[in-house]
Amino acid sequence: MYAQMVKTGVKALKSEAEMSDAERAFQARIDADLRIEPRDWMPDDYRRTLIRQISQHAHSEVVGMLPEGNWVTRAPSLKRKAILLAKIQDEGGHGLYLYSAAETLGITRDQMIEALHSGKAKYSSIFNYPTLTWADIGTIGWLVDGAAIMNQIPLQRCSYGPYARAMVRICKEESFHMRQGYDSLLALCRGTSEQKRMAQDALDRWWWPSLMMFGPPDDASVHSAQSMRWKIKIFSNDELRQRFVDQTVPQAEILGLTLPDPDLRWNEARGHYDFGAIDWEEFYRVLKGGGPCNRERLQARTSAWEEGRWVRDAALACAEKQVRRQAS
Ligand SMILES: [Fe+2]
Ligand SMILES: [Fe+2]
């Protein structure tokens, strides 16, 4: 397993002999499944990797509210609108948990936001696709939140305490998100033929980007081997992607929808579904800013930040006043 990880990771891992005493003790704690807490010693790279991963996760939660916000005023019923609002609020809460978890590593919220707005920090590329019809909202819940759960369940066991603990509640809420999405799609699929066509069209557009959510294939994944050794990643990108496909095929069958992949078929020998090649060029294009909504999403975030400045200033001024009052 270890040798295989070294081979598949792009960066070479340090051998035992190359590690310092502190690094060896740190790795031993992780190997013994002990948690690392904010005040514990940790290698600089571990800290940097976690800051990158957790802040990117936080940004994804917050930017992920935008494509769904597009449909709040057009939800087809009061019930669907209430569900959608609750989900979007959950995502905002996930962002706040995660920013807080990242702050325990010594970065400030302002630094993270600045990195997002300058384009230095990434968020999940899936949110650079537009939500064209109401069926997109159900599809996002089913596939995008479904893929997020697949990624996040193992993170409840990751080595960094604050991140692992934040994941517990987040995963519970994500499972509600996925179920509401599936339920909404089921209603469309049992509705008129036009509604069912709308559901199929949404699935056709969201399927491949959902598979890309697990990141590049293992042999091209820059950070994988070290992250797995540090247990900030428990399963590889390809393993999680395969699980997601295996879980989703029967769900699509119940909906009566067709996954847009002519190569998709059950492989008896592997005990898994085989699926077609992913267009990694599209993945990297969207990642680098060339997706349909990259500019719009960042614009929405930066203007929310600018327009909310007076609220932050007022809250800070109020807090300072209270401190002064208590002191006098
Ligand atoms: Fe979330
Ligand atoms: Fe969610």
Side-chain angles (χ1 to χ4, degrees), residues 70-106:
N70 187 32
W71 283 89
V72 170
T73 56
R74 289 177 286 166
S77 69
L78 181 61
K79 182 182 118 182
R80 295 288 175 201
K81 182 169 175 152
I83 294 172
L84 181 58
L85 275 173
K87 177 189 192 291
I88 295 173
Q89 285 179 354
D90 285 352
E91 307 298 10
H94 298 172
L96 296 185
Y97 278 171
L98 290 163
Y99 283 129
S100 301
E103 280 180 311
T104 65
L105 291 156

PDB file of all heavy atoms in Angstrom, residues 70-106:
ATOM      1  N   ASN A  70     -30.217  31.478  -7.438  1.00  0.00           N
ATOM      2  CA  ASN A  70     -30.853  31.852  -8.698  1.00  0.00           C
ATOM      3  C   ASN A  70     -32.305  31.392  -8.793  1.00  0.00           C
ATOM      4  O   ASN A  70     -33.089  31.940  -9.559  1.00  0.00           O
ATOM      5  CB  ASN A  70     -30.017  31.235  -9.835  1.00  0.00           C
ATOM      6  CG  ASN A  70     -30.453  31.677 -11.213  1.00  0.00           C
ATOM      7  OD1 ASN A  70     -30.921  32.795 -11.379  1.00  0.00           O
ATOM      8  ND2 ASN A  70     -30.313  30.803 -12.198  1.00  0.00           N
ATOM      9  N   TRP A  71     -32.676  30.349  -8.011  1.00  0.00           N
ATOM     10  CA  TRP A  71     -34.024  29.780  -8.127  1.00  0.00           C
ATOM     11  C   TRP A  71     -34.926  30.019  -6.922  1.00  0.00           C
ATOM     12  O   TRP A  71     -36.080  29.569  -6.921  1.00  0.00           O
ATOM     13  CB  TRP A  71     -33.935  28.278  -8.456  1.00  0.00           C
ATOM     14  CG  TRP A  71     -33.600  28.129  -9.911  1.00  0.00           C
ATOM     15  CD1 TRP A  71     -32.359  28.075 -10.474  1.00  0.00           C
ATOM     16  CD2 TRP A  71     -34.536  28.115 -11.003  1.00  0.00           C
ATOM     17  NE1 TRP A  71     -32.447  28.023 -11.844  1.00  0.00           N
ATOM     18  CE2 TRP A  71     -33.771  28.041 -12.192  1.00  0.00           C
ATOM     19  CE3 TRP A  71     -35.930  28.162 -11.092  1.00  0.00           C
ATOM     20  CZ2 TRP A  71     -34.367  28.013 -13.454  1.00  0.00           C
ATOM     21  CZ3 TRP A  71     -36.520  28.130 -12.342  1.00  0.00           C
ATOM     22  CH2 TRP A  71     -35.739  28.054 -13.510  1.00  0.00           C
ATOM     23  N   VAL A  72     -34.448  30.747  -5.921  1.00  0.00           N
ATOM     24  CA  VAL A  72     -35.274  30.949  -4.721  1.00  0.00           C
ATOM     25  C   VAL A  72     -36.600  31.614  -5.071  1.00  0.00           C
ATOM     26  O   VAL A  72     -37.673  31.175  -4.639  1.00  0.00           O
ATOM     27  CB  VAL A  72     -34.515  31.785  -3.656  1.00  0.00           C
ATOM     28  CG1 VAL A  72     -35.445  32.198  -2.527  1.00  0.00           C
ATOM     29  CG2 VAL A  72     -33.338  31.002  -3.097  1.00  0.00           C
ATOM     30  N   THR A  73     -36.553  32.642  -5.886  1.00  0.00           N
ATOM     31  CA  THR A  73     -37.792  33.376  -6.187  1.00  0.00           C
ATOM     32  C   THR A  73     -38.662  32.660  -7.224  1.00  0.00           C
ATOM     33  O   THR A  73     -39.766  33.096  -7.507  1.00  0.00           O
ATOM     34  CB  THR A  73     -37.477  34.786  -6.727  1.00  0.00           C
ATOM     35  OG1 THR A  73     -36.621  34.636  -7.858  1.00  0.00           O
ATOM     36  CG2 THR A  73     -36.797  35.637  -5.674  1.00  0.00           C
ATOM     37  N   ARG A  74     -38.125  31.566  -7.801  1.00  0.00           N
ATOM     38  CA  ARG A  74     -38.898  30.887  -8.847  1.00  0.00           C
ATOM     39  C   ARG A  74     -39.222  29.444  -8.501  1.00  0.00           C
ATOM     40  O   ARG A  74     -39.605  28.658  -9.362  1.00  0.00           O
ATOM     41  CB  ARG A  74     -38.118  30.954 -10.162  1.00  0.00           C
ATOM     42  CG  ARG A  74     -38.101  32.360 -10.731  1.00  0.00           C
ATOM     43  CD  ARG A  74     -37.276  32.443 -11.976  1.00  0.00           C
ATOM     44  NE  ARG A  74     -35.857  32.379 -11.671  1.00  0.00           N
ATOM     45  CZ  ARG A  74     -34.910  32.164 -12.569  1.00  0.00           C
ATOM     46  NH1 ARG A  74     -35.253  31.957 -13.823  1.00  0.00           N
ATOM     47  NH2 ARG A  74     -33.643  32.137 -12.227  1.00  0.00           N
ATOM     48  N   ALA A  75     -39.023  29.066  -7.226  1.00  0.00           N
ATOM     49  CA  ALA A  75     -39.345  27.696  -6.806  1.00  0.00           C
ATOM     50  C   ALA A  75     -40.826  27.452  -7.081  1.00  0.00           C
ATOM     51  O   ALA A  75     -41.644  28.357  -6.940  1.00  0.00           O
ATOM     52  CB  ALA A  75     -39.033  27.522  -5.328  1.00  0.00           C
ATOM     53  N   PRO A  76     -41.188  26.213  -7.512  1.00  0.00           N
ATOM     54  CA  PRO A  76     -42.560  25.980  -7.973  1.00  0.00           C
ATOM     55  C   PRO A  76     -43.624  25.932  -6.869  1.00  0.00           C
ATOM     56  O   PRO A  76     -44.810  25.985  -7.189  1.00  0.00           O
ATOM     57  CB  PRO A  76     -42.464  24.629  -8.684  1.00  0.00           C
ATOM     58  CG  PRO A  76     -41.258  23.976  -8.134  1.00  0.00           C
ATOM     59  CD  PRO A  76     -40.314  25.065  -7.756  1.00  0.00           C
ATOM     60  N   SER A  77     -43.239  25.829  -5.608  1.00  0.00           N
ATOM     61  CA  SER A  77     -44.260  25.832  -4.553  1.00  0.00           C
ATOM     62  C   SER A  77     -43.637  26.389  -3.274  1.00  0.00           C
ATOM     63  O   SER A  77     -42.403  26.488  -3.160  1.00  0.00           O
ATOM     64  CB  SER A  77     -44.771  24.408  -4.282  1.00  0.00           C
ATOM     65  OG  SER A  77     -43.756  23.641  -3.670  1.00  0.00           O
ATOM     66  N   LEU A  78     -44.494  26.721  -2.319  1.00  0.00           N
ATOM     67  CA  LEU A  78     -44.017  27.249  -1.035  1.00  0.00           C
ATOM     68  C   LEU A  78     -43.125  26.218  -0.347  1.00  0.00           C
ATOM     69  O   LEU A  78     -42.082  26.549   0.211  1.00  0.00           O
ATOM     70  CB  LEU A  78     -45.221  27.610  -0.151  1.00  0.00           C
ATOM     71  CG  LEU A  78     -44.883  28.196   1.217  1.00  0.00           C
ATOM     72  CD1 LEU A  78     -44.095  29.497   1.085  1.00  0.00           C
ATOM     73  CD2 LEU A  78     -46.148  28.417   2.031  1.00  0.00           C
ATOM     74  N   LYS A  79     -43.546  24.948  -0.431  1.00  0.00           N
ATOM     75  CA  LYS A  79     -42.769  23.878   0.216  1.00  0.00           C
ATOM     76  C   LYS A  79     -41.361  23.793  -0.378  1.00  0.00           C
ATOM     77  O   LYS A  79     -40.367  23.762   0.340  1.00  0.00           O
ATOM     78  CB  LYS A  79     -43.514  22.543   0.038  1.00  0.00           C
ATOM     79  CG  LYS A  79     -42.822  21.362   0.704  1.00  0.00           C
ATOM     80  CD  LYS A  79     -43.565  20.052   0.465  1.00  0.00           C
ATOM     81  CE  LYS A  79     -42.683  19.098  -0.309  1.00  0.00           C
ATOM     82  NZ  LYS A  79     -43.345  17.821  -0.613  1.00  0.00           N
ATOM     83  N   ARG A  80     -41.284  23.785  -1.699  1.00  0.00           N
ATOM     84  CA  ARG A  80     -39.963  23.680  -2.351  1.00  0.00           C
ATOM     85  C   ARG A  80     -39.111  24.905  -2.049  1.00  0.00           C
ATOM     86  O   ARG A  80     -37.897  24.820  -1.925  1.00  0.00           O
ATOM     87  CB  ARG A  80     -40.125  23.522  -3.868  1.00  0.00           C
ATOM     88  CG  ARG A  80     -40.798  22.245  -4.310  1.00  0.00           C
ATOM     89  CD  ARG A  80     -39.903  21.033  -4.126  1.00  0.00           C
ATOM     90  NE  ARG A  80     -40.632  19.812  -4.461  1.00  0.00           N
ATOM     91  CZ  ARG A  80     -40.289  18.602  -4.039  1.00  0.00           C
ATOM     92  NH1 ARG A  80     -39.218  18.425  -3.286  1.00  0.00           N
ATOM     93  NH2 ARG A  80     -40.999  17.561  -4.377  1.00  0.00           N
ATOM     94  N   LYS A  81     -39.761  26.046  -1.954  1.00  0.00           N
ATOM     95  CA  LYS A  81     -39.021  27.274  -1.669  1.00  0.00           C
ATOM     96  C   LYS A  81     -38.442  27.227  -0.246  1.00  0.00           C
ATOM     97  O   LYS A  81     -37.279  27.590  -0.028  1.00  0.00           O
ATOM     98  CB  LYS A  81     -39.953  28.477  -1.818  1.00  0.00           C
ATOM     99  CG  LYS A  81     -39.286  29.815  -1.588  1.00  0.00           C
ATOM    100  CD  LYS A  81     -40.249  30.903  -2.026  1.00  0.00           C
ATOM    101  CE  LYS A  81     -39.717  32.271  -1.714  1.00  0.00           C
ATOM    102  NZ  LYS A  81     -40.242  33.274  -2.643  1.00  0.00           N
ATOM    103  N   ALA A  82     -39.257  26.753   0.704  1.00  0.00           N
ATOM    104  CA  ALA A  82     -38.790  26.669   2.091  1.00  0.00           C
ATOM    105  C   ALA A  82     -37.619  25.689   2.195  1.00  0.00           C
ATOM    106  O   ALA A  82     -36.630  25.942   2.889  1.00  0.00           O
ATOM    107  CB  ALA A  82     -39.943  26.235   3.005  1.00  0.00           C
ATOM    108  N   ILE A  83     -37.733  24.564   1.491  1.00  0.00           N
ATOM    109  CA  ILE A  83     -36.656  23.567   1.519  1.00  0.00           C
ATOM    110  C   ILE A  83     -35.378  24.160   0.923  1.00  0.00           C
ATOM    111  O   ILE A  83     -34.285  24.026   1.484  1.00  0.00           O
ATOM    112  CB  ILE A  83     -37.062  22.288   0.745  1.00  0.00           C
ATOM    113  CG1 ILE A  83     -38.215  21.576   1.456  1.00  0.00           C
ATOM    114  CG2 ILE A  83     -35.875  21.349   0.579  1.00  0.00           C
ATOM    115  CD1 ILE A  83     -38.810  20.415   0.652  1.00  0.00           C
ATOM    116  N   LEU A  84     -35.530  24.838  -0.202  1.00  0.00           N
ATOM    117  CA  LEU A  84     -34.354  25.391  -0.885  1.00  0.00           C
ATOM    118  C   LEU A  84     -33.680  26.456  -0.017  1.00  0.00           C
ATOM    119  O   LEU A  84     -32.446  26.482   0.121  1.00  0.00           O
ATOM    120  CB  LEU A  84     -34.754  25.975  -2.251  1.00  0.00           C
ATOM    121  CG  LEU A  84     -33.619  26.570  -3.079  1.00  0.00           C
ATOM    122  CD1 LEU A  84     -32.526  25.544  -3.360  1.00  0.00           C
ATOM    123  CD2 LEU A  84     -34.150  27.134  -4.407  1.00  0.00           C
ATOM    124  N   LEU A  85     -34.498  27.310   0.619  1.00  0.00           N
ATOM    125  CA  LEU A  85     -33.922  28.342   1.495  1.00  0.00           C
ATOM    126  C   LEU A  85     -33.162  27.701   2.651  1.00  0.00           C
ATOM    127  O   LEU A  85     -32.064  28.138   3.011  1.00  0.00           O
ATOM    128  CB  LEU A  85     -35.045  29.230   2.054  1.00  0.00           C
ATOM    129  CG  LEU A  85     -35.474  30.378   1.164  1.00  0.00           C
ATOM    130  CD1 LEU A  85     -36.701  31.068   1.762  1.00  0.00           C
ATOM    131  CD2 LEU A  85     -34.347  31.391   0.993  1.00  0.00           C
ATOM    132  N   ALA A  86     -33.750  26.640   3.224  1.00  0.00           N
ATOM    133  CA  ALA A  86     -33.090  25.960   4.354  1.00  0.00           C
ATOM    134  C   ALA A  86     -31.756  25.373   3.911  1.00  0.00           C
ATOM    135  O   ALA A  86     -30.744  25.468   4.605  1.00  0.00           O
ATOM    136  CB  ALA A  86     -34.005  24.867   4.920  1.00  0.00           C
ATOM    137  N   LYS A  87     -31.751  24.783   2.731  1.00  0.00           N
ATOM    138  CA  LYS A  87     -30.513  24.175   2.221  1.00  0.00           C
ATOM    139  C   LYS A  87     -29.445  25.238   2.011  1.00  0.00           C
ATOM    140  O   LYS A  87     -28.292  25.079   2.417  1.00  0.00           O
ATOM    141  CB  LYS A  87     -30.792  23.435   0.907  1.00  0.00           C
ATOM    142  CG  LYS A  87     -29.526  22.857   0.303  1.00  0.00           C
ATOM    143  CD  LYS A  87     -29.765  22.322  -1.101  1.00  0.00           C
ATOM    144  CE  LYS A  87     -28.592  21.493  -1.604  1.00  0.00           C
ATOM    145  NZ  LYS A  87     -27.387  22.271  -1.869  1.00  0.00           N
ATOM    146  N   ILE A  88     -29.834  26.347   1.387  1.00  0.00           N
ATOM    147  CA  ILE A  88     -28.851  27.395   1.102  1.00  0.00           C
ATOM    148  C   ILE A  88     -28.282  27.964   2.412  1.00  0.00           C
ATOM    149  O   ILE A  88     -27.082  28.221   2.527  1.00  0.00           O
ATOM    150  CB  ILE A  88     -29.483  28.499   0.225  1.00  0.00           C
ATOM    151  CG1 ILE A  88     -29.857  27.923  -1.152  1.00  0.00           C
ATOM    152  CG2 ILE A  88     -28.529  29.668   0.048  1.00  0.00           C
ATOM    153  CD1 ILE A  88     -30.633  28.885  -2.039  1.00  0.00           C
ATOM    154  N   GLN A  89     -29.156  28.115   3.414  1.00  0.00           N
ATOM    155  CA  GLN A  89     -28.668  28.598   4.710  1.00  0.00           C
ATOM    156  C   GLN A  89     -27.703  27.601   5.330  1.00  0.00           C
ATOM    157  O   GLN A  89     -26.691  27.987   5.931  1.00  0.00           O
ATOM    158  CB  GLN A  89     -29.839  28.853   5.658  1.00  0.00           C
ATOM    159  CG  GLN A  89     -30.581  30.128   5.296  1.00  0.00           C
ATOM    160  CD  GLN A  89     -31.768  30.407   6.208  1.00  0.00           C
ATOM    161  OE1 GLN A  89     -32.116  29.588   7.054  1.00  0.00           O
ATOM    162  NE2 GLN A  89     -32.394  31.542   6.030  1.00  0.00           N
ATOM    163  N   ASP A  90     -28.011  26.313   5.197  1.00  0.00           N
ATOM    164  CA  ASP A  90     -27.075  25.281   5.695  1.00  0.00           C
ATOM    165  C   ASP A  90     -25.704  25.469   5.070  1.00  0.00           C
ATOM    166  O   ASP A  90     -24.677  25.384   5.743  1.00  0.00           O
ATOM    167  CB  ASP A  90     -27.553  23.868   5.318  1.00  0.00           C
ATOM    168  CG  ASP A  90     -28.720  23.374   6.167  1.00  0.00           C
ATOM    169  OD1 ASP A  90     -29.075  24.038   7.155  1.00  0.00           O
ATOM    170  OD2 ASP A  90     -29.259  22.294   5.826  1.00  0.00           O
ATOM    171  N   GLU A  91     -25.682  25.705   3.755  1.00  0.00           N
ATOM    172  CA  GLU A  91     -24.391  25.824   3.064  1.00  0.00           C
ATOM    173  C   GLU A  91     -23.601  27.023   3.607  1.00  0.00           C
ATOM    174  O   GLU A  91     -22.388  26.941   3.797  1.00  0.00           O
ATOM    175  CB  GLU A  91     -24.567  25.963   1.541  1.00  0.00           C
ATOM    176  CG  GLU A  91     -25.419  24.892   0.853  1.00  0.00           C
ATOM    177  CD  GLU A  91     -24.878  23.475   0.944  1.00  0.00           C
ATOM    178  OE1 GLU A  91     -23.922  23.228   1.693  1.00  0.00           O
ATOM    179  OE2 GLU A  91     -25.453  22.587   0.266  1.00  0.00           O
ATOM    180  N   GLY A  92     -24.317  28.123   3.867  1.00  0.00           N
ATOM    181  CA  GLY A  92     -23.648  29.280   4.468  1.00  0.00           C
ATOM    182  C   GLY A  92     -23.052  28.905   5.823  1.00  0.00           C
ATOM    183  O   GLY A  92     -21.911  29.265   6.147  1.00  0.00           O
ATOM    184  N   GLY A  93     -23.811  28.125   6.614  1.00  0.00           N
ATOM    185  CA  GLY A  93     -23.324  27.658   7.918  1.00  0.00           C
ATOM    186  C   GLY A  93     -22.093  26.766   7.763  1.00  0.00           C
ATOM    187  O   GLY A  93     -21.131  26.882   8.519  1.00  0.00           O
ATOM    188  N   HIS A  94     -22.112  25.886   6.756  1.00  0.00           N
ATOM    189  CA  HIS A  94     -20.943  25.019   6.521  1.00  0.00           C
ATOM    190  C   HIS A  94     -19.710  25.872   6.242  1.00  0.00           C
ATOM    191  O   HIS A  94     -18.623  25.596   6.732  1.00  0.00           O
ATOM    192  CB  HIS A  94     -21.174  24.086   5.316  1.00  0.00           C
ATOM    193  CG  HIS A  94     -22.327  23.138   5.513  1.00  0.00           C
ATOM    194  ND1 HIS A  94     -22.808  22.341   4.503  1.00  0.00           N
ATOM    195  CD2 HIS A  94     -23.084  22.877   6.603  1.00  0.00           C
ATOM    196  CE1 HIS A  94     -23.812  21.622   4.967  1.00  0.00           C
ATOM    197  NE2 HIS A  94     -24.006  21.934   6.236  1.00  0.00           N
ATOM    198  N   GLY A  95     -19.914  26.919   5.441  1.00  0.00           N
ATOM    199  CA  GLY A  95     -18.794  27.816   5.137  1.00  0.00           C
ATOM    200  C   GLY A  95     -18.232  28.414   6.428  1.00  0.00           C
ATOM    201  O   GLY A  95     -17.018  28.423   6.635  1.00  0.00           O
ATOM    202  N   LEU A  96     -19.125  28.860   7.327  1.00  0.00           N
ATOM    203  CA  LEU A  96     -18.651  29.496   8.565  1.00  0.00           C
ATOM    204  C   LEU A  96     -17.896  28.502   9.456  1.00  0.00           C
ATOM    205  O   LEU A  96     -16.855  28.826  10.020  1.00  0.00           O
ATOM    206  CB  LEU A  96     -19.831  30.108   9.325  1.00  0.00           C
ATOM    207  CG  LEU A  96     -20.545  31.245   8.597  1.00  0.00           C
ATOM    208  CD1 LEU A  96     -21.617  31.862   9.491  1.00  0.00           C
ATOM    209  CD2 LEU A  96     -19.567  32.320   8.154  1.00  0.00           C
ATOM    210  N   TYR A  97     -18.442  27.286   9.601  1.00  0.00           N
ATOM    211  CA  TYR A  97     -17.723  26.254  10.391  1.00  0.00           C
ATOM    212  C   TYR A  97     -16.312  26.077   9.870  1.00  0.00           C
ATOM    213  O   TYR A  97     -15.354  25.954  10.597  1.00  0.00           O
ATOM    214  CB  TYR A  97     -18.346  24.872  10.154  1.00  0.00           C
ATOM    215  CG  TYR A  97     -19.560  24.522  10.927  1.00  0.00           C
ATOM    216  CD1 TYR A  97     -20.262  23.362  10.602  1.00  0.00           C
ATOM    217  CD2 TYR A  97     -20.006  25.288  11.990  1.00  0.00           C
ATOM    218  CE1 TYR A  97     -21.386  22.998  11.286  1.00  0.00           C
ATOM    219  CE2 TYR A  97     -21.130  24.914  12.681  1.00  0.00           C
ATOM    220  CZ  TYR A  97     -21.824  23.776  12.320  1.00  0.00           C
ATOM    221  OH  TYR A  97     -22.931  23.387  12.993  1.00  0.00           O
ATOM    222  N   LEU A  98     -16.256  25.978   8.522  1.00  0.00           N
ATOM    223  CA  LEU A  98     -14.980  25.614   7.903  1.00  0.00           C
ATOM    224  C   LEU A  98     -13.984  26.763   7.960  1.00  0.00           C
ATOM    225  O   LEU A  98     -12.799  26.543   8.178  1.00  0.00           O
ATOM    226  CB  LEU A  98     -15.220  25.136   6.464  1.00  0.00           C
ATOM    227  CG  LEU A  98     -15.933  23.779   6.418  1.00  0.00           C
ATOM    228  CD1 LEU A  98     -16.518  23.514   5.044  1.00  0.00           C
ATOM    229  CD2 LEU A  98     -14.982  22.653   6.800  1.00  0.00           C
ATOM    230  N   TYR A  99     -14.478  28.006   7.781  1.00  0.00           N
ATOM    231  CA  TYR A  99     -13.558  29.144   7.958  1.00  0.00           C
ATOM    232  C   TYR A  99     -13.007  29.124   9.387  1.00  0.00           C
ATOM    233  O   TYR A  99     -11.822  29.366   9.612  1.00  0.00           O
ATOM    234  CB  TYR A  99     -14.269  30.476   7.682  1.00  0.00           C
ATOM    235  CG  TYR A  99     -14.482  30.780   6.208  1.00  0.00           C
ATOM    236  CD1 TYR A  99     -15.741  31.135   5.715  1.00  0.00           C
ATOM    237  CD2 TYR A  99     -13.410  30.738   5.301  1.00  0.00           C
ATOM    238  CE1 TYR A  99     -15.945  31.418   4.379  1.00  0.00           C
ATOM    239  CE2 TYR A  99     -13.606  31.017   3.949  1.00  0.00           C
ATOM    240  CZ  TYR A  99     -14.875  31.353   3.497  1.00  0.00           C
ATOM    241  OH  TYR A  99     -15.071  31.627   2.165  1.00  0.00           O
ATOM    242  N   SER A 100     -13.873  28.826  10.359  1.00  0.00           N
ATOM    243  CA  SER A 100     -13.411  28.778  11.751  1.00  0.00           C
ATOM    244  C   SER A 100     -12.381  27.680  11.945  1.00  0.00           C
ATOM    245  O   SER A 100     -11.377  27.859  12.641  1.00  0.00           O
ATOM    246  CB  SER A 100     -14.585  28.547  12.706  1.00  0.00           C
ATOM    247  OG  SER A 100     -15.524  29.576  12.577  1.00  0.00           O
ATOM    248  N   ALA A 101     -12.635  26.504  11.344  1.00  0.00           N
ATOM    249  CA  ALA A 101     -11.676  25.392  11.470  1.00  0.00           C
ATOM    250  C   ALA A 101     -10.335  25.803  10.866  1.00  0.00           C
ATOM    251  O   ALA A 101      -9.271  25.540  11.443  1.00  0.00           O
ATOM    252  CB  ALA A 101     -12.217  24.135  10.787  1.00  0.00           C
ATOM    253  N   ALA A 102     -10.369  26.498   9.731  1.00  0.00           N
ATOM    254  CA  ALA A 102      -9.113  26.920   9.085  1.00  0.00           C
ATOM    255  C   ALA A 102      -8.398  27.970   9.934  1.00  0.00           C
ATOM    256  O   ALA A 102      -7.167  27.980  10.015  1.00  0.00           O
ATOM    257  CB  ALA A 102      -9.393  27.461   7.679  1.00  0.00           C
ATOM    258  N   GLU A 103      -9.166  28.840  10.612  1.00  0.00           N
ATOM    259  CA  GLU A 103      -8.543  29.882  11.446  1.00  0.00           C
ATOM    260  C   GLU A 103      -7.710  29.285  12.581  1.00  0.00           C
ATOM    261  O   GLU A 103      -6.749  29.903  13.028  1.00  0.00           O
ATOM    262  CB  GLU A 103      -9.622  30.815  12.021  1.00  0.00           C
ATOM    263  CG  GLU A 103     -10.089  31.853  11.011  1.00  0.00           C
ATOM    264  CD  GLU A 103     -11.164  32.781  11.572  1.00  0.00           C
ATOM    265  OE1 GLU A 103     -12.152  32.288  12.156  1.00  0.00           O
ATOM    266  OE2 GLU A 103     -11.015  33.999  11.427  1.00  0.00           O
ATOM    267  N   THR A 104      -8.073  28.066  13.034  1.00  0.00           N
ATOM    268  CA  THR A 104      -7.281  27.442  14.103  1.00  0.00           C
ATOM    269  C   THR A 104      -5.874  27.103  13.628  1.00  0.00           C
ATOM    270  O   THR A 104      -5.014  26.754  14.428  1.00  0.00           O
ATOM    271  CB  THR A 104      -7.939  26.143  14.628  1.00  0.00           C
ATOM    272  OG1 THR A 104      -7.953  25.170  13.568  1.00  0.00           O
ATOM    273  CG2 THR A 104      -9.354  26.366  15.117  1.00  0.00           C
ATOM    274  N   LEU A 105      -5.637  27.191  12.322  1.00  0.00           N
ATOM    275  CA  LEU A 105      -4.314  26.881  11.781  1.00  0.00           C
ATOM    276  C   LEU A 105      -3.470  28.136  11.601  1.00  0.00           C
ATOM    277  O   LEU A 105      -2.365  28.086  11.074  1.00  0.00           O
ATOM    278  CB  LEU A 105      -4.454  26.143  10.443  1.00  0.00           C
ATOM    279  CG  LEU A 105      -5.020  24.722  10.579  1.00  0.00           C
ATOM    280  CD1 LEU A 105      -5.663  24.269   9.284  1.00  0.00           C
ATOM    281  CD2 LEU A 105      -3.935  23.745  11.004  1.00  0.00           C
ATOM    282  N   GLY A 106      -4.016  29.292  12.002  1.00  0.00           N
ATOM    283  CA  GLY A 106      -3.211  30.505  11.983  1.00  0.00           C
ATOM    284  C   GLY A 106      -3.407  31.404  10.776  1.00  0.00           C
ATOM    285  O   GLY A 106      -2.561  32.240  10.485  1.00  0.00           O
TER     286      GLY A 106
END
